[in-house]
Amino acid sequence: MSVKTGDSTSREPRRLTTDLEDGRSVEVEISGSPDNHARVDVRLEGERRWVFGVNDDVAVPLFDLDADGYGNRNEELPAWIEPLLRRLGLEGVDA
């Protein structure tokens, strides 16, 4: 999994793109301040969206949506999300 980052010096939200092993593309947007007031938005191309808050360097799931924008909190997170968040510098995902 390779990650391509945008301009990290800007005060605008950081946007990253990565390709999964199965060829699908994921876009990650990090907004807020880096001192644990951040929000991480993960979008799987044309399929799903997961939004996390950051608390003490741990991603806390806030909500996830299916492709039609409906809430979908009953499913487990895909196996690729936690390694992706760790590559961003977070310690993991809070259950």
Side-chain angles (χ1 to χ4, degrees):
M1 176 183 335
S2 64
V3 177
K4 301 170 194 157
T5 63
D7 179 9
S8 63
T9 61
S10 172
R11 295 191 56 82
E12 295 294 316
R14 287 182 58 196
R15 288 182 176 80
L16 312 126
T17 3
T18 186
D19 295 322
L20 300 176
E21 291 177 8
D22 63 9
R24 295 180 296 172
S25 180
V26 176
E27 180 180 306
V28 179
E29 180 178 301
I30 303 168
S31 56
S33 65
D35 57 351
N36 293 327
H37 295 35
R39 179 178 123 166
V40 179
D41 194 334
V42 179
R43 293 184 178 146
L44 182 58
E45 183 180 26
E47 294 183 37
R48 301 278 305 273
R49 176 180 175 201
W50 296 266
V51 178
F52 300 88
V54 176
N55 186 18
D56 294 328
D57 294 327
V58 175
V60 179
L62 299 177
F63 62 88
D64 66 89
L65 304 172
D66 63 18
D68 295 322
Y70 293 104
N72 200 6
R73 289 282 297 159
N74 295 332
E75 294 183 25
E76 290 185 27
L77 294 173
W80 54 263
I81 282 190
E82 189 158 0
L84 174 69
L85 294 173
R86 286 181 187 273
R87 291 187 68 191
L88 298 174
L90 297 174
E91 293 177 8
V93 177
D94 184 10

Coordinates of all heavy atoms in Angstrom, one line a residue:
M1 N 0.9 -1.2 0.0 CA 0.0 0.0 0.0 C 0.9 1.2 0.0 O 1.7 1.4 0.9 CB -0.9 -0.1 1.3 CG -1.7 1.1 1.4 SD -2.7 1.2 3.0 CE -3.0 -0.5 3.5
S2 N 0.8 2.1 -1.0 CA 1.6 3.3 -1.1 C 0.7 4.5 -0.7 O -0.5 4.5 -1.1 CB 2.2 3.5 -2.4 OG 1.2 3.6 -3.4
V3 N 1.2 5.5 -0.1 CA 0.5 6.6 0.3 C 1.1 7.8 -0.3 O 2.3 8.0 -0.3 CB 0.5 6.8 1.9 CG1 -0.2 8.1 2.2 CG2 -0.1 5.6 2.5
K4 N 0.3 8.7 -1.0 CA 0.8 9.9 -1.6 C 0.2 11.0 -0.9 O -1.0 11.1 -0.7 CB 0.3 9.9 -3.1 CG 0.8 8.8 -3.9 CD 0.2 8.8 -5.3 CE 0.4 7.5 -5.9 NZ -0.5 7.1 -6.9
T5 N 1.0 11.9 -0.4 CA 0.5 13.0 0.5 C 0.4 14.3 -0.3 O 1.1 14.5 -1.3 CB 1.4 13.3 1.7 OG1 2.7 13.7 1.2 CG2 1.5 12.0 2.5
G6 N -0.4 15.2 0.2 CA -0.5 16.5 -0.4 C 0.4 17.5 0.3 O 1.4 17.0 1.0
D7 N 0.2 18.8 0.3 CA 1.1 19.8 0.9 C 0.8 19.7 2.4 O -0.2 20.1 2.9 CB 0.7 21.1 0.3 CG 1.6 22.2 0.9 OD1 2.5 21.9 1.7 OD2 1.3 23.4 0.7
S8 N 1.8 19.3 3.2 CA 1.7 19.2 4.6 C 2.0 20.5 5.4 O 1.8 20.6 6.5 CB 2.6 18.1 5.2 OG 3.9 18.5 5.0
T9 N 2.4 21.6 4.6 CA 2.7 22.9 5.3 C 1.5 23.8 5.3 O 1.5 24.7 6.0 CB 3.9 23.6 4.6 OG1 3.5 23.8 3.2 CG2 5.1 22.7 4.6
S10 N 0.5 23.5 4.5 CA -0.7 24.3 4.5 C -1.6 24.1 5.7 O -1.5 23.1 6.3 CB -1.5 23.9 3.2 OG -2.7 24.5 3.2
R11 N -2.3 25.1 6.1 CA -3.3 25.0 7.2 C -4.6 24.4 6.7 O -5.4 24.1 7.5 CB -3.5 26.4 7.8 CG -2.2 26.9 8.5 CD -2.4 28.1 9.3 NE -3.4 28.0 10.4 CZ -3.1 27.4 11.6 NH1 -2.0 26.9 11.8 NH2 -4.1 27.4 12.5
E12 N -4.7 24.1 5.4 CA -5.9 23.5 4.9 C -5.8 22.0 5.3 O -4.8 21.5 5.6 CB -5.9 23.6 3.4 CG -6.1 25.0 2.9 CD -7.4 25.6 3.2 OE1 -8.4 24.9 3.1 OE2 -7.5 26.7 3.7
P13 N -6.9 21.3 5.2 CA -6.9 19.8 5.5 C -5.9 19.1 4.6 O -5.8 19.5 3.5 CB -8.3 19.4 5.2 CG -9.2 20.6 5.3 CD -8.3 21.7 4.9
R14 N -5.2 18.1 5.2 CA -4.3 17.3 4.4 C -5.1 16.2 3.7 O -5.9 15.6 4.3 CB -3.2 16.7 5.3 CG -2.2 17.7 5.8 CD -1.2 17.1 6.6 NE -0.5 16.1 5.9 CZ 0.3 15.1 6.5 NH1 0.5 15.1 7.8 NH2 0.9 14.2 5.7
R15 N -4.8 16.0 2.5 CA -5.4 14.9 1.7 C -4.4 14.0 1.2 O -3.3 14.4 0.7 CB -6.2 15.5 0.5 CG -7.4 16.3 1.0 CD -8.2 16.8 -0.2 NE -9.4 17.4 0.2 CZ -9.5 18.7 0.6 NH1 -8.4 19.4 0.8 NH2 -10.7 19.2 1.0
L16 N -4.7 12.7 1.4 CA -3.8 11.6 1.0 C -4.5 10.6 0.1 O -5.7 10.4 0.3 CB -3.2 10.9 2.2 CG -2.7 11.8 3.3 CD1 -3.3 11.4 4.6 CD2 -1.2 11.6 3.4
T17 N -3.9 10.0 -0.8 CA -4.5 8.9 -1.6 C -3.6 7.7 -1.5 O -2.4 7.8 -1.4 CB -4.6 9.3 -3.0 OG1 -4.1 10.5 -3.3 CG2 -6.0 9.3 -3.5
T18 N -4.3 6.6 -1.5 CA -3.5 5.3 -1.4 C -4.3 4.3 -2.2 O -5.5 4.4 -2.4 CB -3.3 4.8 0.0 OG1 -2.4 3.7 0.0 CG2 -4.6 4.5 0.7
D19 N -3.6 3.3 -2.8 CA -4.2 2.2 -3.5 C -4.1 1.0 -2.7 O -3.0 0.6 -2.1 CB -3.5 2.0 -4.8 CG -3.7 3.2 -5.8 OD1 -4.8 3.8 -5.8 OD2 -2.7 3.5 -6.5
L20 N -5.2 0.3 -2.5 CA -5.2 -1.0 -1.8 C -4.7 -2.1 -2.7 O -4.6 -1.9 -3.9 CB -6.7 -1.3 -1.4 CG -7.3 -0.3 -0.4 CD1 -8.8 -0.7 -0.1 CD2 -6.5 -0.2 0.9
E21 N -4.4 -3.2 -2.1 CA -3.8 -4.4 -2.8 C -4.8 -4.9 -3.9 O -4.3 -5.4 -4.9 CB -3.4 -5.5 -1.9 CG -2.2 -5.1 -1.0 CD -1.9 -6.2 0.0 OE1 -2.5 -7.3 -0.1 OE2 -1.1 -6.0 0.9
D22 N -6.1 -4.7 -3.7 CA -7.0 -5.2 -4.7 C -7.3 -4.1 -5.8 O -8.2 -4.3 -6.6 CB -8.3 -5.6 -4.0 CG -9.0 -4.4 -3.3 OD1 -8.6 -3.2 -3.5 OD2 -10.0 -4.7 -2.6
G23 N -6.6 -3.0 -5.8 CA -6.7 -2.0 -6.8 C -7.6 -0.9 -6.5 O -7.6 0.1 -7.3
R24 N -8.4 -1.0 -5.5 CA -9.3 0.1 -5.1 C -8.5 1.3 -4.6 O -7.5 1.1 -4.0 CB -10.4 -0.3 -4.1 CG -11.3 -1.4 -4.7 CD -12.3 -1.8 -3.7 NE -11.7 -2.5 -2.6 CZ -12.3 -2.8 -1.4 NH1 -13.6 -2.6 -1.3 NH2 -11.6 -3.4 -0.5
S25 N -9.1 2.5 -4.7 CA -8.4 3.7 -4.3 C -9.1 4.2 -3.0 O -10.3 4.2 -2.9 CB -8.5 4.8 -5.4 OG -7.8 5.9 -5.0
V26 N -8.3 4.7 -2.1 CA -8.8 5.3 -0.8 C -8.2 6.7 -0.7 O -7.1 7.0 -0.9 CB -8.3 4.5 0.4 CG1 -8.7 5.1 1.7 CG2 -8.8 3.0 0.3
E27 N -9.1 7.6 -0.3 CA -8.7 9.0 -0.1 C -8.9 9.3 1.4 O -9.9 8.9 2.0 CB -9.6 10.0 -0.9 CG -9.3 11.4 -0.6 CD -10.2 12.4 -1.4 OE1 -10.3 12.2 -2.6 OE2 -10.7 13.3 -0.8
V28 N -7.9 9.9 2.0 CA -7.9 10.2 3.4 C -7.7 11.7 3.6 O -6.9 12.3 2.9 CB -6.7 9.5 4.2 CG1 -6.7 9.9 5.6 CG2 -6.8 8.0 4.0
E29 N -8.6 12.3 4.4 CA -8.5 13.7 4.7 C -8.3 13.9 6.2 O -9.1 13.4 7.0 CB -9.7 14.5 4.2 CG -9.7 15.9 4.5 CD -10.9 16.7 4.0 OE1 -11.2 16.6 2.8 OE2 -11.6 17.3 4.8
I30 N -7.3 14.7 6.5 CA -7.0 14.9 8.0 C -7.2 16.4 8.2 O -6.6 17.3 7.5 CB -5.5 14.6 8.3 CG1 -5.3 13.1 8.0 CG2 -5.3 14.9 9.8 CD1 -3.8 12.8 8.0
S31 N -8.2 16.7 9.1 CA -8.5 18.1 9.3 C -8.4 18.4 10.8 O -8.4 17.5 11.6 CB -9.9 18.5 8.8 OG -10.8 17.6 9.3
G32 N -8.3 19.6 11.2 CA -8.1 20.0 12.6 C -6.7 20.2 12.9 O -5.8 20.1 12.1
S33 N -6.4 20.4 14.2 CA -5.0 20.7 14.7 C -4.4 19.3 15.0 O -5.1 18.4 15.3 CB -5.0 21.6 15.9 OG -5.7 21.0 16.9
P34 N -3.1 19.2 14.9 CA -2.4 18.0 15.2 C -2.4 17.6 16.6 O -2.1 16.4 17.0 CB -1.0 18.2 14.7 CG -0.8 19.7 14.7 CD -2.2 20.3 14.5
D35 N -2.8 18.5 17.5 CA -2.7 18.1 19.0 C -4.0 17.5 19.5 O -4.7 18.1 20.3 CB -2.3 19.3 19.8 CG -3.2 20.5 19.6 OD1 -4.1 20.5 18.7 OD2 -3.1 21.5 20.4
N36 N -4.4 16.4 18.9 CA -5.6 15.6 19.3 C -6.9 16.3 19.1 O -7.9 16.0 19.8 CB -5.4 15.2 20.7 CG -4.3 14.2 20.8 OD1 -4.0 13.4 19.9 ND2 -3.6 14.2 21.9
H37 N -7.0 17.2 18.2 CA -8.3 17.8 17.8 C -8.6 17.5 16.3 O -9.3 18.2 15.7 CB -8.3 19.3 18.0 CG -8.2 19.7 19.5 ND1 -7.4 19.0 20.4 CD2 -8.7 20.7 20.2 CE1 -7.5 19.6 21.5 NE2 -8.2 20.6 21.5
A38 N -8.0 16.5 15.9 CA -8.1 16.2 14.4 C -9.3 15.3 14.1 O -9.8 14.6 15.0 CB -6.8 15.5 14.0
R39 N -9.6 15.3 12.9 CA -10.6 14.4 12.4 C -10.0 13.7 11.1 O -9.4 14.4 10.3 CB -11.9 15.2 12.0 CG -13.0 14.4 11.4 CD -14.1 15.2 11.1 NE -14.5 15.1 9.7 CZ -15.6 15.5 9.1 NH1 -16.5 16.1 9.9 NH2 -15.8 15.3 7.9
V40 N -10.2 12.4 11.0 CA -9.7 11.7 9.9 C -10.9 11.1 9.1 O -11.7 10.4 9.7 CB -8.8 10.5 10.3 CG1 -8.2 9.8 9.1 CG2 -7.6 11.1 11.2
D41 N -11.0 11.4 7.9 CA -12.1 11.0 7.0 C -11.5 10.1 5.9 O -10.6 10.5 5.2 CB -12.7 12.3 6.3 CG -14.0 12.1 5.7 OD1 -14.3 10.9 5.3 OD2 -14.7 13.0 5.5
V42 N -11.9 8.8 5.9 CA -11.4 7.8 5.0 C -12.5 7.5 4.0 O -13.6 7.1 4.4 CB -11.0 6.6 5.8 CG1 -10.5 5.5 4.8 CG2 -9.9 6.9 6.8
R43 N -12.2 7.6 2.7 CA -13.3 7.3 1.7 C -12.7 6.3 0.7 O -11.7 6.5 0.1 CB -13.6 8.6 0.9 CG -14.3 9.6 1.7 CD -14.7 10.8 0.9 NE -15.4 11.7 1.8 CZ -15.3 13.0 1.7 NH1 -14.6 13.6 0.8 NH2 -16.0 13.8 2.6
L44 N -13.5 5.2 0.6 CA -13.2 4.2 -0.3 C -13.9 4.5 -1.6 O -15.1 4.6 -1.6 CB -13.6 2.8 0.2 CG -13.3 1.6 -0.6 CD1 -11.8 1.4 -0.9 CD2 -13.8 0.3 0.1
E45 N -13.2 4.6 -2.7 CA -13.7 5.1 -3.9 C -15.0 4.5 -4.3 O -15.2 3.3 -4.5 CB -12.7 4.8 -5.0 CG -13.0 5.3 -6.4 CD -11.9 4.9 -7.4 OE1 -11.2 3.9 -7.2 OE2 -11.8 5.6 -8.4
G46 N -16.1 5.3 -4.3 CA -17.4 4.9 -4.7 C -18.1 3.9 -3.9 O -19.2 3.4 -4.2
E47 N -17.6 3.7 -2.6 CA -18.2 2.6 -1.8 C -18.6 3.1 -0.4 O -19.8 3.1 -0.1 CB -17.3 1.4 -1.7 CG -17.1 0.7 -3.0 CD -16.2 -0.5 -2.9 OE1 -16.3 -1.2 -1.8 OE2 -15.4 -0.8 -3.8
R48 N -17.6 3.4 0.4 CA -17.9 3.7 1.8 C -17.1 4.9 2.3 O -16.2 5.3 1.7 CB -17.5 2.5 2.7 CG -18.1 1.2 2.4 CD -19.5 1.0 3.0 NE -19.5 1.2 4.4 CZ -19.3 0.3 5.3 NH1 -19.0 -0.9 5.0 NH2 -19.4 0.6 6.6
R49 N -17.5 5.4 3.5 CA -16.8 6.5 4.1 C -16.8 6.2 5.6 O -17.8 5.9 6.2 CB -17.5 7.8 3.8 CG -16.9 9.0 4.5 CD -17.7 10.2 4.2 NE -17.2 11.3 4.9 CZ -17.9 12.4 5.2 NH1 -19.2 12.5 4.7 NH2 -17.4 13.4 5.9
W50 N -15.6 6.4 6.3 CA -15.5 6.2 7.7 C -14.9 7.5 8.2 O -14.0 8.1 7.7 CB -14.5 5.1 8.1 CG -15.0 3.8 7.6 CD1 -15.7 2.9 8.4 CD2 -14.8 3.1 6.4 NE1 -15.9 1.7 7.6 CE2 -15.4 1.9 6.4 CE3 -14.2 3.6 5.2 CZ2 -15.4 1.0 5.3 CZ3 -14.2 2.7 4.1 CH2 -14.8 1.4 4.2
V51 N -15.5 8.0 9.4 CA -15.0 9.2 10.0 C -14.5 8.9 11.4 O -15.3 8.3 12.2 CB -16.0 10.4 10.0 CG1 -15.5 11.6 10.7 CG2 -16.4 10.7 8.5
F52 N -13.3 9.4 11.7 CA -12.7 9.1 13.1 C -12.4 10.4 13.7 O -11.9 11.4 13.0 CB -11.4 8.3 12.9 CG -11.6 7.0 12.3 CD1 -11.5 6.8 10.9 CD2 -11.9 5.8 13.0 CE1 -11.7 5.6 10.3 CE2 -12.0 4.6 12.4 CZ -11.9 4.5 11.1
G53 N -12.5 10.5 15.0 CA -12.0 11.6 15.8 C -10.6 11.1 16.3 O -10.4 9.9 16.3
V54 N -9.8 12.0 16.8 CA -8.5 11.5 17.3 C -8.4 11.9 18.8 O -8.6 13.1 19.1 CB -7.3 12.2 16.6 CG1 -6.0 11.8 17.2 CG2 -7.3 11.7 15.1
N55 N -8.1 10.9 19.6 CA -8.0 11.2 21.1 C -6.8 10.5 21.6 O -6.7 9.3 21.5 CB -9.3 10.6 21.8 CG -9.3 10.9 23.2 OD1 -8.6 11.8 23.7 ND2 -10.1 10.2 24.0
D56 N -5.8 11.3 22.0 CA -4.5 10.7 22.5 C -3.9 9.8 21.5 O -3.5 8.7 21.8 CB -4.7 10.0 23.8 CG -5.1 10.9 25.0 OD1 -4.6 12.1 24.9 OD2 -5.8 10.5 25.9
D57 N -3.8 10.2 20.2 CA -3.2 9.5 19.1 C -3.9 8.2 18.8 O -3.3 7.3 18.2 CB -1.7 9.3 19.4 CG -0.9 10.5 19.4 OD1 -1.3 11.5 18.7 OD2 0.1 10.6 20.2
V58 N -5.1 8.1 19.2 CA -5.9 6.9 18.9 C -7.1 7.3 18.1 O -7.8 8.3 18.4 CB -6.4 6.1 20.1 CG1 -7.3 5.0 19.8 CG2 -5.1 5.6 20.9
A59 N -7.4 6.6 17.0 CA -8.6 7.0 16.1 C -9.8 6.4 16.8 O -9.9 5.2 17.2 CB -8.4 6.4 14.7
V60 N -10.8 7.2 17.0 CA -12.1 6.8 17.6 C -13.2 6.9 16.5 O -13.4 8.0 16.0 CB -12.5 7.8 18.8 CG1 -13.8 7.4 19.4 CG2 -11.3 7.8 19.8
P61 N -13.8 5.8 16.2 CA -14.8 5.8 15.1 C -16.0 6.7 15.5 O -16.5 6.5 16.6 CB -15.3 4.3 15.0 CG -14.2 3.5 15.6 CD -13.6 4.4 16.7
L62 N -16.3 7.6 14.7 CA -17.5 8.5 14.9 C -18.7 8.0 14.1 O -19.8 7.8 14.7 CB -17.2 9.9 14.5 CG -16.1 10.6 15.3 CD1 -15.8 12.0 14.7 CD2 -16.3 10.6 16.8
F63 N -18.5 7.7 12.8 CA -19.6 7.2 12.0 C -19.0 6.6 10.7 O -17.9 6.9 10.4 CB -20.7 8.2 11.7 CG -20.3 9.4 11.0 CD1 -20.3 9.4 9.6 CD2 -19.9 10.5 11.6 CE1 -19.9 10.5 8.9 CE2 -19.5 11.7 10.9 CZ -19.5 11.7 9.6
D64 N -19.8 5.8 10.1 CA -19.4 5.3 8.7 C -20.7 5.3 7.9 O -21.8 5.1 8.4 CB -18.7 4.0 8.7 CG -19.5 2.8 9.2 OD1 -20.1 2.2 8.4 OD2 -19.4 2.5 10.4
L65 N -20.5 5.5 6.6 CA -21.7 5.6 5.7 C -21.4 4.7 4.5 O -20.3 4.5 4.1 CB -21.8 7.1 5.2 CG -21.9 8.2 6.2 CD1 -21.8 9.5 5.6 CD2 -23.2 8.0 7.0
D66 N -22.5 4.2 4.0 CA -22.4 3.4 2.8 C -22.4 4.4 1.6 O -22.4 5.6 1.7 CB -23.5 2.4 2.7 CG -24.9 3.0 2.6 OD1 -25.1 4.2 2.3 OD2 -25.9 2.2 2.8
A67 N -22.3 3.8 0.4 CA -22.2 4.6 -0.9 C -23.4 5.6 -1.0 O -23.2 6.7 -1.7 CB -22.1 3.8 -2.1
D68 N -24.5 5.3 -0.5 CA -25.7 6.1 -0.6 C -25.9 7.1 0.5 O -26.8 7.9 0.6 CB -27.0 5.3 -0.7 CG -27.0 4.4 -1.9 OD1 -26.6 4.8 -3.0 OD2 -27.5 3.2 -1.8
G69 N -24.9 7.2 1.5 CA -24.9 8.1 2.5 C -25.7 7.7 3.8 O -25.9 8.5 4.6
Y70 N -26.0 6.4 3.9 CA -26.7 5.9 5.0 C -25.8 5.4 6.1 O -24.8 4.8 5.7 CB -27.7 4.8 4.6 CG -28.8 5.3 3.7 CD1 -28.8 5.0 2.4 CD2 -29.9 6.0 4.3 CE1 -29.9 5.5 1.6 CE2 -30.9 6.5 3.5 CZ -30.9 6.2 2.1 OH -31.9 6.7 1.3
G71 N -26.1 5.6 7.3 CA -25.2 5.2 8.4 C -25.1 3.6 8.4 O -26.1 2.9 8.1
N72 N -24.0 3.1 8.8 CA -23.7 1.7 8.7 C -22.8 1.3 9.8 O -21.7 0.8 9.5 CB -23.1 1.4 7.3 CG -23.2 0.0 6.9 OD1 -23.9 -0.8 7.6 ND2 -22.7 -0.3 5.8
R73 N -23.1 1.4 11.1 CA -22.2 1.1 12.2 C -22.2 -0.3 12.6 O -21.6 -0.7 13.6 CB -22.6 2.0 13.4 CG -22.2 3.5 13.2 CD -20.8 3.8 13.3 NE -20.4 3.5 14.7 CZ -19.2 3.2 15.1 NH1 -18.2 3.3 14.2 NH2 -18.9 3.0 16.3
N74 N -23.0 -1.2 12.0 CA -23.1 -2.6 12.5 C -22.0 -3.4 12.0 O -21.7 -4.5 12.5 CB -24.4 -3.2 12.1 CG -25.6 -2.5 12.8 OD1 -25.4 -1.9 13.8 ND2 -26.7 -2.5 12.1
E75 N -21.3 -3.0 10.9 CA -20.2 -3.8 10.4 C -18.9 -3.5 11.0 O -18.6 -2.4 11.4 CB -20.1 -3.6 8.8 CG -21.4 -4.1 8.1 CD -21.2 -3.9 6.6 OE1 -20.1 -3.9 6.1 OE2 -22.3 -3.8 6.0
E76 N -18.0 -4.5 11.0 CA -16.6 -4.3 11.5 C -15.9 -3.4 10.5 O -16.2 -3.4 9.3 CB -15.9 -5.6 11.7 CG -16.5 -6.4 12.9 CD -15.7 -7.7 13.1 OE1 -14.5 -7.7 12.8 OE2 -16.3 -8.6 13.6
L77 N -14.8 -2.8 11.0 CA -14.0 -2.0 10.1 C -13.2 -3.0 9.2 O -12.8 -4.1 9.7 CB -13.0 -1.2 10.9 CG -13.5 -0.1 11.7 CD1 -12.4 0.6 12.6 CD2 -14.2 1.0 10.8
P78 N -12.9 -2.6 8.0 CA -12.1 -3.5 7.1 C -10.7 -3.6 7.7 O -10.2 -2.7 8.3 CB -12.1 -2.7 5.8 CG -13.2 -1.7 5.8 CD -13.4 -1.4 7.3
A79 N -10.1 -4.7 7.4 CA -8.8 -5.0 7.9 C -7.7 -4.0 7.5 O -6.7 -3.8 8.2 CB -8.3 -6.5 7.5
W80 N -7.9 -3.3 6.4 CA -6.8 -2.4 5.9 C -6.9 -1.1 6.6 O -5.9 -0.3 6.5 CB -6.9 -2.2 4.4 CG -8.3 -1.8 3.9 CD1 -9.3 -2.7 3.4 CD2 -8.8 -0.5 3.9 NE1 -10.4 -1.9 3.1 CE2 -10.1 -0.6 3.3 CE3 -8.3 0.7 4.2 CZ2 -11.0 0.5 3.2 CZ3 -9.2 1.9 4.0 CH2 -10.4 1.7 3.5
I81 N -8.0 -0.7 7.3 CA -8.1 0.6 7.9 C -7.1 0.8 9.0 O -6.4 1.9 9.1 CB -9.5 0.9 8.4 CG1 -10.4 1.2 7.2 CG2 -9.6 2.1 9.4 CD1 -11.7 1.8 7.4
E82 N -6.9 -0.1 10.0 CA -6.0 0.2 11.1 C -4.6 0.3 10.6 O -3.9 1.3 11.1 CB -6.2 -0.9 12.2 CG -5.4 -0.5 13.4 CD -5.9 -1.2 14.7 OE1 -6.8 -2.0 14.6 OE2 -5.3 -0.9 15.7
P83 N -4.1 -0.6 9.7 CA -2.7 -0.3 9.3 C -2.5 1.0 8.5 O -1.5 1.7 8.7 CB -2.4 -1.5 8.3 CG -3.4 -2.6 8.7 CD -4.6 -1.8 9.3
L84 N -3.5 1.5 7.8 CA -3.5 2.8 7.1 C -3.4 3.9 8.2 O -2.6 4.8 8.0 CB -4.7 2.9 6.3 CG -4.9 4.3 5.6 CD1 -3.8 4.5 4.6 CD2 -6.3 4.5 5.1
L85 N -4.2 3.8 9.2 CA -4.2 4.8 10.3 C -2.8 4.8 11.0 O -2.3 5.9 11.4 CB -5.3 4.7 11.2 CG -6.7 4.9 10.6 CD1 -7.8 4.5 11.6 CD2 -6.9 6.3 10.1
R86 N -2.3 3.7 11.2 CA -1.0 3.6 11.9 C 0.1 4.2 11.0 O 1.0 4.9 11.5 CB -0.6 2.1 12.1 CG -1.4 1.5 13.3 CD -1.0 0.1 13.5 NE -1.8 -0.5 14.5 CZ -1.6 -0.5 15.8 NH1 -0.6 0.2 16.3 NH2 -2.4 -1.1 16.7
R87 N 0.0 4.1 9.7 CA 1.0 4.7 8.8 C 0.9 6.2 8.8 O 1.8 6.9 8.5 CB 0.8 4.2 7.3 CG 1.2 2.8 7.2 CD 1.2 2.3 5.8 NE 2.3 3.0 5.1 CZ 2.4 2.9 3.8 NH1 1.5 2.2 3.1 NH2 3.3 3.5 3.2
L88 N -0.3 6.7 9.3 CA -0.4 8.2 9.4 C 0.1 8.7 10.7 O 0.1 9.9 11.0 CB -1.9 8.5 9.3 CG -2.6 8.2 8.0 CD1 -4.1 8.5 8.1 CD2 -2.0 9.0 6.9
G89 N 0.6 7.8 11.6 CA 1.1 8.2 12.9 C 0.2 7.9 14.1 O 0.6 8.2 15.2
L90 N -0.9 7.3 13.9 CA -1.8 7.0 15.0 C -1.5 5.7 15.6 O -0.8 4.8 14.9 CB -3.3 7.1 14.5 CG -3.8 8.4 14.0 CD1 -5.2 8.3 13.4 CD2 -3.7 9.4 15.1
E91 N -1.8 5.5 16.8 CA -1.5 4.2 17.5 C -2.4 3.1 17.2 O -2.1 1.9 17.3 CB -1.5 4.5 19.0 CG -0.4 5.4 19.5 CD -0.5 5.6 21.0 OE1 -1.3 5.0 21.7 OE2 0.3 6.5 21.5
G92 N -3.6 3.4 16.7 CA -4.6 2.4 16.3 C -6.0 2.9 16.4 O -6.2 4.1 16.4
V93 N -6.9 2.0 16.5 CA -8.4 2.3 16.5 C -8.9 1.9 17.8 O -8.7 0.7 18.3 CB -9.1 1.6 15.4 CG1 -10.6 1.9 15.4 CG2 -8.6 2.1 14.0
D94 N -9.7 2.7 18.5 CA -10.3 2.4 19.7 C -11.6 1.6 19.4 O -12.4 2.0 18.6 CB -10.7 3.7 20.5 CG -11.3 3.5 21.8 OD1 -11.3 2.3 22.3 OD2 -11.8 4.4 22.5
A95 N -11.7 0.5 20.1 CA -12.9 -0.3 19.8 C -14.1 0.3 20.5 O -15.2 0.3 20.3 CB -12.7 -1.7 20.4

